[in-house]
Amino acid sequence: MRRFGLLTLTHDAATAIQALTTKPDLPEQTGLRIASAAGDNGALSFAVSVADGPQPDDEVVEAEGARVFVDSEVVPALVDKSLDAEVDEQGQVRFQLAAQTP
């Protein structure tokens, strides 16, 4: 039986994160940060941003050279989740969460 853990990244997500965080003017430890945001009707929502490094209480997820800093407040919501990404025709990245699959 597979034991699921904190957030995993698909290949597409790792590639998109690397493209966002490995620009010459950014520090080497730059990553994508996922934190809580005010959602509609008090529902949990996520804010995604490029960050110079993790905050002291962040969990760090690394895959295929990409780094994601997960705010400790949202860690429980991201256990057993997988982050995927797609890039539209204008080059905008859209991230999506899904359940991890075995």
Side-chain angles (χ1 to χ4, degrees):
M1 182 166 125
R2 179 177 174 192
R3 181 174 172 250
F4 295 107
L6 183 56
L7 184 71
T8 60
L9 307 179
T10 66
H11 175 74
D12 290 342
T15 300
I17 293 165
Q18 284 180 332
L20 292 170
T21 62
T22 57
K23 297 177 180 171
D25 58 330
L26 296 174
E28 187 175 324
Q29 67 275 11
T30 298
L32 191 76
R33 185 161 194 270
I34 301 175
S36 61
D40 295 335
N41 300 326
L44 178 62
S45 185
F46 302 104
V48 178
S49 61
V50 174
D52 290 346
Q55 296 296 312
D57 291 337
D58 285 354
E59 294 285 335
V60 179
V61 175
E62 294 187 77
E64 298 182 38
R67 283 183 213 86
V68 177
F69 312 128
V70 182
D71 184 330
S72 62
E73 290 184 24
V74 299
V75 165
L78 298 181
V79 170
D80 299 347
K81 299 293 187 276
S82 181
L83 184 66
D84 193 14
E86 59 183 40
V87 180
D88 66 20
E89 299 82 31
Q90 292 78 33
Q92 297 294 316
V93 178
R94 181 172 167 227
F95 290 102
Q96 302 126 350
L97 288 170
Q100 290 180 17
T101 56

